[in-house]
Amino acid sequence: DAGVTQTPRHEVAEKGQTIILKCEPVSGHNDLFWYRQTKIQGLELLSYFRSKSLMEDGGAFKDRFKAEMLNSSFSTLKIQPTEPKDSAVYLCASSLDREVFFGKGTRLTVV
Amino acid sequence: GDSVTQTEGQVALSEEDFLTIHCNYSASGYPTLFWYVQYPGEGPQLLFRASRDKEKGSSRGFEATYDKGTTSFHLRKASVQESDSAVYYCALSDSGGSNAKLTFGKGTKLSVKS
């Protein structure tokens, strides 16, 4: 059984670029989350979807961050334009019955 | 809003030492509590959870007891091994509503030397 798949695993972007991170949740899961992970702040929720509907959009991240769920098996997180402070690990997770499974993350470096 | 506070920073132990990582929560409802573990290069993975007062969660020698009175869910292990070195996160989920999102503490890095 495949877990949560995130691509790419690493991304390097120049300041001002647009980047798109991808996520395939576990088949059959109806909740999908995007988190940002940094050493200082830990895990911060960016977006939360239930059955493809946006349930929560992290207030501090609305400006340049946009998550979409195009179908039940694919989600994207777009950052536009990128800034150096966006350098972090971006984790996608999916859930069924409150058991949350995480992908391995995408490490983004903005130079 | 909901929040989780856990032992900050790093905990350094030797093999066979006793481990305690403190976790306290603040929530308006009656949350489900979780411990997650994250190894380098991996996403967090569920260690165990507890949903009711006095319920004990346990896995791989780790355990924690839900204490509604003190709003705590402290992680303990009697004898740590080098392979336990990882980052540990305490988290909660509001089990009363339809919102399944997790609110995490900032993580505690455990380093165990042999």
Side-chain angles (χ1 to χ4, degrees), chain A residues 38-52:
Chain A
T38 60
K39 283 190 175 158
I40 294 176
Q41 296 296 334
L43 287 151
E44 302 170 282
L45 181 71
L46 300 174
S47 292
Y48 164 35
F49 293 88
R50 165 159 286 187
S51 301
K52 301 187 293 178

Side-chain angles (χ1 to χ4, degrees), chain A residues 9 31 33 35 37 39-43 45 48 50 55-56 91 95 97-105, chain B residues 32 34 36 38 41-46 49 89 93-106:
Chain A
R9 291 296 314 278
D31 289 312
F33 309 87
Y35 283 88
Q37 184 175 40
K39 283 190 175 158
I40 294 176
Q41 296 296 334
L43 287 151
L45 181 71
Y48 164 35
R50 165 159 286 187
M55 300 290 287
E56 194 160 328
L91 290 162
S95 168
D97 193 25
R98 297 182 185 277
E99 181 155 359
V100 179
F101 294 83
F102 284 83
K104 296 188 178 199
Chain B
T32 296
F34 304 80
Y36 277 79
Q38 185 176 25
E42 302 284 329
Q45 53 187 264
L46 179 66
R49 63 179 168 183
Y89 290 94
S93 173
D94 176 10
S95 46
S98 60
N99 194 327
K101 74 172 186 182
L102 291 170
T103 299
F104 287 89
K106 292 201 172 178

Side-chain angles (χ1 to χ4, degrees), chain A residues 40-102:
Chain A
I40 294 176
Q41 296 296 334
L43 287 151
E44 302 170 282
L45 181 71
L46 300 174
S47 292
Y48 164 35
F49 293 88
R50 165 159 286 187
S51 301
K52 301 187 293 178
S53 296
L54 184 64
M55 300 290 287
E56 194 160 328
D57 201 353
F61 299 97
K62 281 183 182 173
D63 198 22
R64 297 178 295 107
F65 292 71
K66 184 175 175 64
E68 291 186 306
M69 199 153 182
L70 306 177
N71 56 56
S72 60
S73 58
F74 187 69
S75 176
T76 58
L77 175 66
K78 180 191 287 188
I79 308 175
Q80 178 182 37
T82 52
E83 297 182 5
K85 65 181 179 180
D86 300 332
S87 297
V89 175
Y90 290 83
L91 290 162
C92 179
S94 67
S95 168
L96 185 67
D97 193 25
R98 297 182 185 277
E99 181 155 359
V100 179
F101 294 83
F102 284 83

Side-chain angles (χ1 to χ4, degrees), chain B residues 14-16 80-86 110-114:
Chain B
S14 299
E15 280 196 326
E16 300 184 14
V80 295
Q81 302 301 311
E82 194 172 2
S83 57
D84 294 327
S85 297
L110 172 64
S111 297
V112 181
K113 64 175 195 256
S114 57

Side-chain angles (χ1 to χ4, degrees), chain B residues 2-69:
Chain B
D2 296 346
S3 66
V4 175
T5 303
Q6 64 179 96
T7 302
E8 284 205 10
Q10 187 163 319
V11 173
L13 297 173
S14 299
E15 280 196 326
E16 300 184 14
D17 279 353
F18 189 92
L19 168 72
T20 301
I21 298 176
H22 289 100
C23 172
N24 288 91
Y25 69 90
S26 173
S28 54
Y30 200 141
T32 296
L33 304 176
F34 304 80
W35 276 102
Y36 277 79
V37 58
Q38 185 176 25
Y39 300 100
E42 302 284 329
Q45 53 187 264
L46 179 66
L47 200 50
F48 55 79
R49 63 179 168 183
S51 302
R52 301 181 306 277
D53 190 24
K54 304 294 184 275
E55 180 179 355
K56 181 192 282 189
S58 63
S59 175
R60 309 183 216 172
F62 292 90
E63 61 179 41
T65 300
Y66 193 136
D67 189 329
K68 198 166 185 296

Side-chain angles (χ1 to χ4, degrees), chain A residues 5-44:
Chain A
T5 303
Q6 290 188 247
T7 54
R9 291 296 314 278
H10 301 273
E11 178 81 56
V12 178
E14 290 191 357
K15 178 183 171 181
Q17 263 189 285
T18 296
I19 62 104
I20 296 176
L21 309 182
K22 304 178 183 70
C23 174
E24 295 174 36
V26 176
S27 177
H29 284 191
N30 54 7
D31 289 312
L32 184 137
F33 309 87
W34 284 98
Y35 283 88
R36 184 172 81 169
Q37 184 175 40
T38 60
K39 283 190 175 158
I40 294 176
Q41 296 296 334
L43 287 151
E44 302 170 282

